[in-house]
């Protein structure tokens, strides 16, 4: 049941197995209302996220990407999220040069017990993406496939 | 902007070149090869020059045409005793390779010289009306390039023909060297790198930026000259671009994968790229691929106050962390 | 053949517009600082003063093309069984290329011997080749890197082309060289050009006059085989090579390709795409064995293929059109002319093979 | 007449899968179109490209004898992307086949001669169709000897027919493994050494061999010692291939294309080619 009115957008979520996936589960068990735009991919650790996943997702049609891991100092593998934080922060700030709003990608920390926080994160991120609208899409193999439509839209 | 250059004249250039040749002559007997530059197919081009015998040294030429970053060859020559002539910027690639243990310091002999900048062939081409196919003559001094092409003579101001990286250069002298020929110009690493072009581009609207790259990458032929010319693309024959598993990119000729590859390249260089500009120079269809790397460096500088290719002992920022990051402000939900 | 035609420079764009009504027309234009063959757009200027950065190879041999589309589906009779349908995707439509250079199009004549071979005709190539016409511009002045005269060609060679256009004052003289070419020369914008024939000859001779004497390459096939096992020779030749694909992808006569499958969900496509013999993956076998493990081996194959192996099985024709793009666009200035000449002049050391 | 599309595979169904060894599987396939199946002919030694759509194609020898009309057999060793995918297939699955490609063993020229087959590991697969063809036309050939070696008994393919080969009186079969193995009742030793022990006469004889490069190298030396001339030695090569019709440009050795002029070469022909295996 979409909390937000209007058309669903595509948001990809990469969640670590130990904290955030549990957090999302907790939110589900607690029957907290959440928007349904998010598609979750479980990964072992936020340190497993190659920041290029974010770009790949956007280029293949996602409108937003959310990464969530254990809180700093709580990483199951001790320091995976510390490395992740540096990498993801850099990618977040890099996005504008390609032509994506940096707000299309956020990373955060949600523990397995924080069902409420998870609901808060998903709802707020989904709202943020809806505010931005659909991400720029690549519509065909040649640039003209996309550019002609972009020009028409402008 | 602009690098206050020593007012040396052409005579000095000849002098340090002779000194450099002497240095190489001294070292060559202990080395398998020394890499420098020599003349190429026309007077406006140079080419990498592999010196194995004493007589090869005579052909060595240092000039604003010595554009190639020869550090690219070093990892492939690992195990051999190699001498390398470096511009200031090239030496930073050597530092990176040392930092990453991709070359052994004791196998490498570094020959430095005071670099006053190298040309950007595209700028010369533009100044000559889009054609440099019939260069008959070319001579250079500190201040001008004199070119004769199709019976017409051109006198071009050197400052305008220099590569962008040279007009804002902060490391004209090799940051690491075993021999240094000529007078050092003086490095100014403490000065801020110049990212004005990146900032200007970032002020464009989202569709403008996105559309710009689609248009530019449309003509990419996926020859990967950008990658192969890059001294820090060290995966060589095992690049993600051609891997089927993981399958990052398809072999279809589509602009998405071309753009994606450039993001991969830039990200794999995060905290490693020294902005030598070889990627862009090597591109046979003149795609401005350097900007992604400059942007990455700008973010690395702003977030971690780090610059690659200066200290062989430094730890690159993405291989380390702090419990509390001073310059990362996490989103509050 | 039909009479020679003349087109006023001022009418060029209108003529191309006319041609674009029934064909897809490609003409060279600036994209960034490079000159690329792009679909003709009357609103954009074309750039034909000099040879383009890239030859129009892609018009007949696209950078990637679909060979087969396939779909997976469940067998309705037996749901545990997956059915696969594979469908060939043949190219359609006619194309006219304007502003190609003699060397660019002559490259296709080297494709033809391979792709149109009697028993192994390549249907995709054939469809495109037959439906693509080339209006080639004779060169007025060769560049430093040009060496078409080394390889039995000239700045006004029409082989492979359908129309040869020679620039003369205020216009172009258009000579048809094929039936396809004749059909292109029916526009009312064109006038009879017979009276310019002498001028045309002058332009051609003048251009040829710029080219110095060509070395004799008749020994190249054997000499290259003679140095085959001399790895020192090849390691020196390839020392500065970066193993990138600029030379092969910009070469009008390089025709090697890769075939790969790309899938999304239940659908996929088998693509053919340009491949690059300078890359280690080109001959890498699944076992890990690579018959051409170093860049020296690979450069040897590239030069050998063009100047020795191809001529050996194709009536002595050298598979290089002398356009010089591999020299001009090589990021490190490798000069194939030097390598071939060094091989020809190489004297085997005594007592050594 | 419409030209044949050489790149369009013919759809086929896997009828039988045989797990030969831990990394070799044999597939028996039939074309879906009965007309195609009926008209299909090939010669021993010719190859085919198997397609797993979505993964790609790889080249394998058709190792059923041409005298078998009801199926085509391919033995696949798992090494790369395509072979791994093929190994995941089972009976009833669909694959694409482009065949026959390449040249074949000169079995006509071999008539009236003694034949020695020397196969190492998966290298037995290309020899199998020729040997079975000769056994089917037994009177045309002289003495037939088979030397088949593998690393160990568990690496030996075609286990199910080895016994019948051993029992045949018109075929002299030698099996060997590289190192001692409990329960192994046949020869132990490297193929080239065993070959020297068997010492087949080179008189009016042709040796046909296939196997890994290192085995081939020493086997050729052993054959030379036994008096075999280059013209009497036939082998079949493997290269990375894509098109299979001499166009795509990667399987060449000088001006010969393994996919068209090969895969079968005599040692004499190989010596004429540039040294680039």
């Amino acid at each position: 049941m979409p909390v937000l009115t209007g058309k669903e957008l595509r948001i990809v979520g990469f969640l670590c197995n130990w904290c955030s996936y549990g957090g999302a589960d907790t939110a589900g068990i607690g029957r907290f209302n959440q928007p349904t735009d998010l598609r979750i991919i479980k990964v072992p650790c936020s340190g497993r996220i190659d920041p290029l996943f974010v770009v790949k997702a956007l280029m293949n049609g996602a409108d937003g990407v959310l990464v969530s891991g254990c809180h700093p100092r709580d990483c199951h593998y001790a320091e995976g999220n510390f490395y992740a934080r540096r990498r993801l922060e850099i990618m977040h700030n890099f996005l504008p040069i390609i032509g994506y709003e940096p707000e299309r990608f956020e990373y955060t920390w949600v523990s397995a017990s924080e069902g409420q926080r998870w609901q808060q994160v998903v709802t707020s991120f989904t709202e943020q993406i809806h505010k931005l609208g659909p991400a720029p899409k690549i519509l065909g193999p040649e640039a003209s496939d996309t550019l002609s439509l972009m020009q028409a839209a402008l | 902007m602009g690098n206050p250059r020593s007012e040396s004249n052409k005579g000095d250039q000849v002098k340090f070149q002779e000194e450099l040749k002497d240095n190489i002559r001294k070292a060559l007997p202990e080395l398998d090869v020394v890499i420098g530059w020599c003349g190429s197919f026309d007077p406006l081009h140079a080419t990498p020059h592999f010196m194995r015998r004493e007589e090869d040294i005579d052909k060595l030429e240092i000039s604003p045409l010595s554009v190639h970053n020869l550090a690219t060859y070093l990892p492939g020559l690992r195990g051999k005793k190699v001498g390398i002539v470096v511009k200031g910027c090239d030496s930073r690639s050597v530092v990176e390779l040392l930092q990453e243990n991709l070359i052994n310091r004791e196998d490498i002999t570094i020959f430095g010289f005071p670099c006053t900048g190298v040309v950007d062939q595209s700028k010369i081409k533009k100044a000559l009306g889009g054609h440099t196919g019939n260069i008959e003559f070319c001579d250079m001094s500190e201040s001008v390039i004199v070119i004769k092409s199709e019976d017409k003579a051109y006198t071009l101001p050197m400052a305008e023909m220099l590569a962008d990286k040279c007009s804002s250069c902060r490391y004209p002298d090799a940051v690491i060297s075993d021999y240094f020929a000529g007078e050092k110009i003086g490095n100014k690493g403490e000065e801020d790198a110049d990212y004005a072009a990146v900032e200007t581009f970032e002020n464009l609207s989202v569709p403008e930026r996105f559309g710009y790259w689609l248009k530019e990458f449309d003509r990419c032929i996926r020859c990967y000259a950008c990658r192969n010319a890059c001294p820090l693309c060290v995966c060589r024959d095992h690049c993600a671009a051609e891997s089927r598993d993981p399958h990052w990119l398809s072999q279809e000729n589509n602009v998405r994968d071309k753009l994606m590859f450039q993001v991969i390249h830039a990200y794999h260089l995060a905290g490693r790229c020294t902005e030598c500009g070889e990627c862009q120079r090597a591109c046979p269809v003149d795609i401005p691929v350097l900007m992604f790397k400059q942007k990455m460096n700008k973010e690395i500088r702003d977030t971690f106050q780090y610059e690659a290719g200066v200290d062989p002992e430094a730890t690159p920022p993405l291989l380390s962390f702090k419990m509390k990051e001073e310059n990362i402000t996490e989103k509050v939900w | 053949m039909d009479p020679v035609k003349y087109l006023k420079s001022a009418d060029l764009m209108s003529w191309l517009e006319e041609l674009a009504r029934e064909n897809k027309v490609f003409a060279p234009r600036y994209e960034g600082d490079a000159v690329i063959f792009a679909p003709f757009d009357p609103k954009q200027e074309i750039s034909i003063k000099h040879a383009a950065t890239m030859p129009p190879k892609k018009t007949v041999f696209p950078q990637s093309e679909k060979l087969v589309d396939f779909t997976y589906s469940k067998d309705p009779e037996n749901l545990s069984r997956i059915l696969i349908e594979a469908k060939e995707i043949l190219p359609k439509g006619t194309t006219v290329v304007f502003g190609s250079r003699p060397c660019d199009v002559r490259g296709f004549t080297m494709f033809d011997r391979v792709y149109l071979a009697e028993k192994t005709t390549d249907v995709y190539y054939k469809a495109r080749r037959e439906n693509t016409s080339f209006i080639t511009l004779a060169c007025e002045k060769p560049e430093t890197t040009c060496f078409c005269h080394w390889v039995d060609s000239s700045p006004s060679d029409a082989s492979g082309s359908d129309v040869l256009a020679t620039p003369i004052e205020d216009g172009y003289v258009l000579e048809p060289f094929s039936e396809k070419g004749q059909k292109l020369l029916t526009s009312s914008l064109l006038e009879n050009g017979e009276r310019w024939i002498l001028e045309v000859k002058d332009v051609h001779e003048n251009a040829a006059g710029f080219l110095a004497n060509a070395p004799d390459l008749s020994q190249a096939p054997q000499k290259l085989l003679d140095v085959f096992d001399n790895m020192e020779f090849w390691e020196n030749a390839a020392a500065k090579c970066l193993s990138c694909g600029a030379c092969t992808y910009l070469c009008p006569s390089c025709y090697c390709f890769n075939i790969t499958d790309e899938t999304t969900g239940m659908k996929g496509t088998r693509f053919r795409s340009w491949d690059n013999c300078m890359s280690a993956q080109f001959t890498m076998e699944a076992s890990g064995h690579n018959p051409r493990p170093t860049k020296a081996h690979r450069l040897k194959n590239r030069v050998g293929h063009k100047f020795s192996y191809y001529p050996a099985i194709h009536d002595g024709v050298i598979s290089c059109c002398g356009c010089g793009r591999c020299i001009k666009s090589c990021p490190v200035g490798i000069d194939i002319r030097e390598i071939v000449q060094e091989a020809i002049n190489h004297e085997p050391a005594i007592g050594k093979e | 007449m419409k030209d044949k599309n050489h790149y369009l595979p013919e759809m086929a169904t896997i009828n039988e899968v045989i797990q030969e060894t831990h990394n070799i599987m044999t597939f028996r396939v039939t074309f879906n179109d009965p007309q195609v199946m009926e008209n299909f002919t090939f010669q021993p030694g010719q190859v085919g490209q198997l397609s797993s759509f979505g993964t790609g194609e790889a080249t394998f020898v058709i190792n059923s004898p041409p005298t078998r009309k009801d199926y085509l057999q391919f033995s696949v060793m798992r090494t790369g992307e395509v072979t791994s995918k093929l190994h995941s297939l089972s009976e009833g699955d669909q694959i694409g086949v482009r065949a026959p490609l390449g040249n074949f063993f000169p079995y006509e020229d071999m008539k009236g001669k003694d034949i020695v087959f020397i196969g190492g590991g998966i290298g037995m697969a290309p020899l199998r169709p020729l040997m079975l063809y000769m056994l089917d036309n037994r009177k045309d050939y002289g003495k037939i000897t088979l030397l088949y070696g593998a690393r160990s008994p568990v690496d030996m393919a075609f286990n199910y027919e080895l016994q019948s080969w051993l029992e045949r009186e018109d075929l002299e079969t030698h099996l060997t493994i590289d190192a001692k193995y409990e329960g192994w009742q046949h020869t132990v030793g490297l193929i080239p050494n065993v070959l020297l022990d068997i010492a087949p006469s080179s008189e009016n004889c042709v040796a046909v061999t296939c196997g890994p490069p290192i085995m081939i190298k020493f086997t050729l030396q052993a054959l030379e010692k036994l008096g075999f001339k280059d013209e009497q030695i036939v082998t079949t090569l493997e290269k990375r291939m894509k098109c299979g019709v001499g166009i795509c440009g990667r399987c060449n050795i000088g001006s010969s294309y393994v996919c068209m002029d090969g895969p079968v070469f005599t040692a004499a022909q190989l010596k004429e080619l540039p040294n680039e295996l």
Side-chain angles (χ1 to χ4, degrees):
Chain A
M1 64 195 116
V3 174
L4 298 151
T5 48
K7 220 175 153 228
E8 251 190 33
L9 292 176
R10 267 190 233 187
I11 303 176
V12 179
F14 294 101
L15 273 55
C16 90
N17 176 45
W18 303 97
C19 293
S20 294
Y21 197 81
D25 219 13
T26 307
I29 290 164
R31 305 208 168 238
F32 300 145
N33 256 337
Q34 293 172 49
T36 53
D37 306 44
L38 185 77
R39 307 285 185 277
I40 293 176
I41 298 170
K42 184 162 81 170
V43 292
C45 174
S46 53
R48 167 66 182 92
I49 312 282
D50 184 336
L52 291 165
F53 291 173
V54 176
V55 184
K56 183 87 178 160
L58 289 172
M59 281 196 189
N60 281 356
D63 301 299
V65 180
L66 178 68
V67 168
S68 187
C70 308
H71 286 278
R73 294 171 198 271
D74 281 348
C75 176
H76 184 80
Y77 306 99
E79 46 195 37
N81 54 3
F82 285 126
Y83 288 107
R85 181 166 60 188
R86 288 198 156 197
R87 297 174 194 154
L88 296 170
E89 175 72 14
I90 289 294
M91 187 50 91
H92 178 270
N93 299 340
F94 179 80
L95 289 180
I97 197 92
I98 315 174
Y100 292 115
E101 298 91 341
E103 297 81 14
R104 292 205 178 272
F105 163 55
E106 300 288 358
Y107 65 95
T108 192
W109 325 117
V110 174
S111 81
S113 60
E114 293 176 320
Q116 199 106 48
R117 178 172 158 85
W118 176 252
Q119 178 196 32
Q120 170 69 22
V121 165
V122 176
T123 311
S124 141
F125 187 64
T126 308
E127 271 169 20
Q128 182 171 320
I129 297 303
H130 275 261
K131 216 171 278 166
L132 291 167
K137 298 277 174 348
I138 298 172
L139 302 168
E142 284 172 44
S144 56
D145 302 331
T146 307
L147 291 172
S148 54
L149 278 158
M150 265 171 71
Q151 257 136 27
L154 277 173
Chain B
M1 276 201 329
N3 182 32
R5 281 159 207 296
S6 63
E7 280 308 306
S8 62
N9 56 27
K10 246 193 124 188
D12 279 354
Q13 167 107 11
V14 174
K15 225 168 85 193
F16 83 65
Q17 190 153 304
E18 283 316 307
E19 190 185 337
L20 176 62
K21 284 183 184 175
D22 284 341
N23 290 343
I24 297 174
R25 252 179 230 115
K26 256 181 269 165
L28 188 59
E30 305 295 314
L31 302 173
D32 293 313
V33 63
V34 176
I35 320 172
W37 304 269
C38 68
S40 186
F41 61 86
D42 77 5
L44 190 56
H45 288 85
T47 182
H49 180 39
F50 286 66
M51 295 168 271
R52 293 189 177 82
R53 294 160 308 181
E54 172 130 10
E55 56 264 38
D56 298 337
I57 301 173
D58 299 334
K59 276 173 73 187
L60 176 76
E61 270 176 46
I62 307 287
S63 78
L65 302 178
S66 308
V67 291
H68 323 80
N69 182 349
L70 307 173
T72 303
Y73 297 114
L74 293 180
L77 293 168
R78 200 173 183 169
K80 295 212 164 87
K81 295 276 182 199
V82 182
I84 180 171
V85 186
V86 292
K87 308 188 283 291
C89 48
D90 307 339
S91 74
R92 294 179 59 201
S93 307
V94 178
V95 167
E96 271 309 295
L97 292 170
L98 287 169
Q99 191 191 77
E100 297 179 14
N101 273 322
L102 292 160
I103 52 176
N104 305 328
R105 183 64 185 93
E106 60 274 21
D107 289 343
I108 308 286
T109 307
I110 305 166
F111 300 89
F113 65 91
C115 175
T116 51
V118 293
V119 302
D120 180 336
Q121 291 283 357
S122 337
K123 289 183 185 172
I124 297 181
K125 198 170 180 183
K126 256 188 208 151
L128 264 57
H131 184 62
T132 48
N134 299 89
I135 304 293
E136 290 138 30
F137 173 84
C138 171
D139 193 28
M140 278 159 288
S141 72
E142 276 284 293
S143 52
V144 290
I145 310 179
V146 180
I147 295 174
K148 224 178 109 190
S149 163
E150 312 223 58
D151 301 326
K152 254 178 90 179
Y154 300 79
T155 305
L156 311 170
M158 182 62 93
E160 288 171 31
M161 295 302 122
L162 287 183
D164 289 344
K165 65 169 177 180
C166 301
S167 17
S168 59
C169 175
R170 297 174 297 128
Y171 297 97
D173 307 322
V175 296
I176 183 174
S177 63
D178 300 298
Y179 296 87
F180 197 94
E183 294 287 317
K184 287 198 176 178
I185 295 172
N187 287 340
K188 296 180 300 295
E190 67 289 352
E191 282 180 17
D192 239 349
D194 175 15
Y195 290 120
V198 174
E199 281 153 19
T200 311
F201 182 78
E202 285 189 294
N203 285 331
L204 297 173
S205 73
V206 163
E208 277 170 334
R209 275 176 270 153
F210 198 69
Y212 174 81
W213 292 120
L214 293 188
K215 200 162 160 20
E216 289 295 322
F217 283 116
D218 203 31
R219 66 175 178 276
C220 166
I221 51 172
R222 302 183 79 168
C223 68
Y224 295 119
C226 49
R227 172 192 74 187
N228 289 28
C230 175
L232 292 167
C233 267
V234 290
C235 302
R236 294 289 148 187
D237 301 341
H238 308 277
C239 178
E242 282 123 357
S243 157
R244 292 276 304 177
D245 183 20
H247 197 50
W248 277 100
L249 302 176
S250 89
Q251 294 304 308
E252 188 192 11
N253 176 30
N254 69 53
V255 69
R256 171 188 291 130
D257 287 333
K258 296 171 184 177
L259 182 53
M260 186 67 207
F261 175 72
Q262 292 302 325
V263 179
I264 295 177
H265 193 183
Y267 183 72
H268 285 176
L269 287 170
R272 306 170 65 232
C273 173
T274 60
E275 286 174 55
C276 70
E278 280 295 84
C279 47
Q280 185 154 322
R281 186 193 65 77
C283 180
V285 291
D286 294 291
I287 302 173
V289 293
L290 180 60
M291 199 194 279
F292 280 180
K293 289 119 194 167
Q294 290 172 317
K295 165 71 175 168
M296 195 58 90
N297 275 355
K298 177 173 171 279
E299 293 310 320
I300 293 280
R301 179 198 67 180
D302 293 350
T303 314
F304 307 113
Q305 287 78 50
Y306 179 86
E307 184 170 40
V310 192
D311 175 7
E313 304 302 323
T315 308
L318 293 190
L319 290 185
S320 56
F321 63 85
K322 285 180 182 166
M323 296 279 201
K324 245 189 146 37
E325 300 280 4
E326 291 96 2
N327 296 303
I328 297 179
T329 321
E330 284 166 26
K331 185 177 163 68
V332 182
W333 299 89
Chain C
M1 286 284 161
D2 272 12
V4 171
K5 295 288 173 82
Y6 172 77
L7 172 74
K8 284 204 270 309
S9 293
D11 289 335
L12 174 58
M13 292 299 266
S14 321
W15 185 45
L16 293 180
E17 260 186 273
E18 265 183 25
L19 291 172
R21 269 177 226 146
E22 298 195 356
N23 310 281
K24 189 162 189 185
V25 172
F26 281 87
R29 73 161 183 246
Y30 268 100
E31 290 288 344
D33 290 337
V35 178
I36 307 290
F37 280 85
F40 174 70
D41 173 356
K43 291 190 291 295
Q44 293 196 51
E45 218 181 306
I46 62 172
S47 169
I48 48 173
K49 214 166 152 230
H50 303 286
T53 313
M54 277 176 72
K57 176 157 85 172
K58 63 177 179 188
T59 56
V60 178
F61 184 55
Q63 202 171 326
S64 81
E65 69 180 311
K66 291 180 171 193
L67 296 179
V68 177
D69 266 352
F70 48 86
T71 44
Y72 290 91
S73 60
K74 274 191 178 161
D75 183 356
E77 309 275 309
N78 173 2
L79 291 175
S80 66
R81 206 167 155 238
I82 302 287
L83 299 177
I84 301 169
E85 194 192 358
K87 248 178 28 204
E88 64 177 359
I89 307 292
L90 287 175
K92 291 191 187 82
T94 55
T95 303
V96 173
V97 178
F98 177 80
S100 45
R101 296 287 168 169
C103 47
D104 297 345
V105 186
R106 192 161 171 267
F108 290 119
T109 65
M110 290 144 201
F111 274 70
D112 291 346
R113 290 186 189 86
V114 177
Y115 281 74
L116 303 179
E118 203 182 327
K119 281 186 185 145
T120 53
T121 306
D122 186 298
V123 290
Y124 302 88
Y125 177 82
K126 190 178 178 196
R128 282 206 173 80
R129 183 81 171 101
E130 282 176 351
N131 292 316
T132 307
S133 315
F134 290 92
I135 305 169
T136 296
L137 271 175
C139 297
E140 290 168 276
K141 186 174 181 185
E143 298 184 14
T144 325
T145 44
C146 288
F147 61 108
C148 57
H149 63 308
W150 288 32
V151 288
D152 300 322
S153 181
S154 80
S156 54
D157 190 339
S159 49
S161 295
D162 301 285
V163 173
L164 184 70
T166 305
I168 54 162
E169 214 148 330
D170 299 326
Y172 302 90
V173 176
L174 307 170
E175 299 169 81
F177 278 89
S178 72
E179 233 172 89
K180 272 190 289 179
Q182 285 182 20
K183 279 190 200 140
L184 291 176
L185 299 182
T186 50
S187 165
S188 59
L189 292 167
L190 309 176
E191 28 181 296
N192 189 301
E194 295 288 352
R195 65 202 162 103
W196 300 103
I197 272 302
L198 284 177
E199 271 85 346
V200 167
K201 217 175 140 223
D202 274 354
V203 172
H204 294 178
E205 278 171 10
N206 191 39
F210 283 111
L211 294 166
N213 284 341
D216 175 16
L217 298 188
S218 58
Q219 293 304 305
Q222 186 53 45
K223 289 285 189 176
L224 281 163
L225 288 177
D226 292 345
V227 291
F228 193 92
D229 291 319
N230 184 345
M231 282 316 285
E232 197 188 334
F233 177 90
W234 291 107
E235 275 157 18
N236 284 336
K240 58 188 171 185
C241 175
L242 299 172
S243 286
C244 78
C247 52
T248 52
Y249 291 173
L250 292 179
C251 173
S253 64
C254 267
Y255 58 71
C256 293
F257 61 81
N258 196 357
I259 299 177
T260 38
D261 287 7
E262 304 292 350
T263 330
T264 13
M266 302 289 273
K267 279 188 189 151
T269 301
R270 179 160 291 173
F271 284 100
R272 148 152 87 198
S273 52
W274 291 356
D275 207 353
N276 163 27
C277 62
M278 302 305 294
S279 148
Q281 276 92 357
F282 190 67
T283 48
M284 175 63 95
E285 291 162 20
S287 64
H289 173 68
N290 193 345
R292 296 176 205 143
T294 70
K295 60 185 182 182
H297 291 93
R298 301 192 282 271
L299 184 67
K300 171 169 74 177
N301 186 68
R302 179 159 198 274
V303 179
H305 180 242
K306 292 189 174 305
F307 290 87
S308 178
Y309 320 150
Y310 184 101
I313 49 176
H314 295 291
D315 314 318
V317 174
I318 289 170
S319 178
C320 163
C321 54
C323 74
R325 283 190 181 85
C326 57
I327 306 166
K328 196 161 53 165
S329 294
C330 175
V332 292
I334 291 181
D335 192 334
I336 196 168
R337 296 172 296 191
E338 270 177 25
I339 300 172
V340 173
Q341 275 190 302
E342 275 168 22
I344 290 175
N345 298 328
H346 187 81
E347 294 295 334
I350 295 163
K352 217 174 132 193
E353 254 195 25
Chain D
M1 200 189 84
K2 194 172 171 270
D3 293 300
K4 179 178 156 53
N5 184 345
H6 297 282
Y7 302 98
L8 185 67
E10 196 62 51
M11 292 310 298
T13 303
I14 297 175
N15 291 329
E16 200 181 338
V17 181
I18 304 159
Q19 185 81 45
E20 300 275 4
T21 72
H22 70 101
N23 65 353
I24 301 174
M25 271 172 123
T26 290
F27 298 91
R28 292 186 171 160
V29 306
T30 316
F31 291 116
N32 291 356
D33 183 342
Q35 200 70 43
V36 172
M37 195 67 221
E38 201 178 310
N39 295 334
F40 186 83
T41 56
F42 74 99
Q43 308 279 4
Q46 284 192 297
V47 300
Q49 289 258 17
L50 296 191
S51 271
S52 160
F53 291 95
T55 312
E57 290 184 295
T59 316
F60 306 96
V61 176
I62 309 170
N63 75 46
S64 44
T67 33
R68 287 301 299 237
K69 286 304 218 177
D70 48 338
Y71 63 82
L72 298 178
Q73 176 170 312
F74 300 90
S75 296
V76 177
M77 186 161 93
R78 193 179 60 237
T79 31
E81 190 195 1
V82 175
T83 50
S84 297
K85 179 71 192 175
L86 289 172
H87 271 229
S88 75
L89 299 180
S90 49
E91 279 151 40
D93 282 339
Q94 305 287 294
I95 56 169
V97 180
R98 293 199 283 131
L101 302 169
N103 72 352
F104 48 87
F105 290 111
Y107 58 90
E108 289 288 341
D109 301 342
M110 296 181 189
K111 275 188 181 158
K113 293 183 179 168
D114 291 347
I115 312 289
V116 183
F117 289 102
I118 310 152
I122 188 71
M124 185 61 219
L127 307 184
R128 185 177 181 269
L130 179 63
M131 190 178 86
L132 296 185
Y133 173 85
M134 287 180 169
L135 293 176
D136 284 347
N137 298 276
R138 191 63 191 86
K139 59 178 192 336
D140 292 342
Y141 299 91
K143 183 181 174 188
I144 303 180
T145 311
L146 166 66
L147 168 58
Y148 173 29
R151 228 170 261 168
S152 74
V154 295
D155 293 305
M156 209 153 239
F158 312 113
N159 245 318
Y160 41 88
E161 47 194 10
L162 295 181
Q163 196 51 43
S164 69
W165 292 353
L166 285 163
E167 281 164 12
R168 279 186 84 123
E169 288 187 356
D170 55 357
L171 174 68
E172 182 185 320
T173 302
H174 301 267
L175 303 178
T176 182
I177 55 172
D178 288 1
K180 274 189 193 152
Y181 197 95
E182 213 182 298
W184 179 251
Q185 293 169 358
H186 309 279
T187 320
V188 175
L190 296 173
I191 292 169
N193 301 340
V194 178
L195 178 63
L196 288 173
D197 291 344
I198 303 168
S201 160
S202 61
E203 179 78 32
N204 193 37
C205 180
V206 177
V208 188
T209 182
C210 184
I214 189 75
M215 171 211 130
I216 294 292
K217 188 179 161 195
F218 289 105
T219 300
L220 290 181
Q221 288 174 8
L223 286 168
E224 200 182 330
K225 262 187 217 162
L226 294 170
F228 282 82
K229 299 212 168 51
D230 291 339
E231 294 74 22
Q232 288 172 278
I233 304 169
V234 181
T235 187
T236 171
L237 298 183
E238 188 184 26
K239 287 264 176 189
R240 182 180 169 98
M241 292 177 194
K242 285 288 175 180
C243 72
V245 286
I247 304 179
C248 80
R250 71 195 66 225
C251 70
N252 71 303
I253 307 172
S255 46
S256 290
Y257 286 79
V258 172
C259 69
M260 293 290 283
D261 307 312
V264 175
F265 293 92
T266 64
Q269 287 168 325
L270 284 184
K271 281 205 176 145
E272 290 295 305
L273 295 179
N275 176 25
E276 194 179 72
L277 298 178

